[in-house]
Amino acid sequence: CPKPADLRPVNGTRVCAQLYADNSPYYDQCCAGDVLLVPPDSDAPYMPRGWSARASSLVVGTRCELTVWSRRGKKGDKHKFGA
C-alpha cells in the first residue's frame, strides 16, 4: 500500500484517501484492483455506483480524516480513519 504522504496521482493533485477493491491476507498484495480516489473536503452521502460494500483496503493521507457510515445517507454506525 502507498504511504499516507504519497497519496498524489500522476498530475500532482492532493488526494485525502484511496479505497481499493481487492484485498489479501498478505500485506504486500493488499491495495490492489480498482481504486476510488477521495479528494480533500469532499462530502458524499452515498458510495459511487459499483462501490457499495466493495472497498476492502484503504489508505488515508496525512492531515486528512475519512468518516464512513454503516448505512447509506450517513446513517447507522460511523467510524473515522486517519493516516
Side-chain angles (χ1 to χ4, degrees), residues 4-5 8 10-11 14 28 47-49 54-57 61 67 76 82:
R8 294 185 184 274
V10 177
N11 67 4
R14 186 167 181 247
D28 63 338
M47 290 295 282
R49 172 170 253 150
R54 188 169 175 217
S56 61
S57 301
T67 304

Side-chain angles (χ1 to χ4, degrees), residues 45-70:
Y46 301 95
M47 290 295 282
R49 172 170 253 150
W51 276 93
S52 181
R54 188 169 175 217
S56 61
S57 301
L58 64 89
V59 176
V60 178
T62 54
R63 297 176 309 189
C64 288
E65 183 176 79
L66 177 69
T67 304
V68 297
W69 286 264
S70 61

Side-chain angles (χ1 to χ4, degrees), residues 1-4 22-32 57-59:
C1 294
K3 294 178 183 169
D22 295 344
N23 195 3
S24 170
Y26 303 104
Y27 184 77
D28 63 338
Q29 296 175 17
C30 289
C31 300
S57 301
L58 64 89
V59 176

Side-chain angles (χ1 to χ4, degrees), residues 38-46 67 69 73-74:
V38 181
D41 301 319
S42 60
D43 183 11
Y46 301 95
T67 304
W69 286 264
K74 295 183 179 181

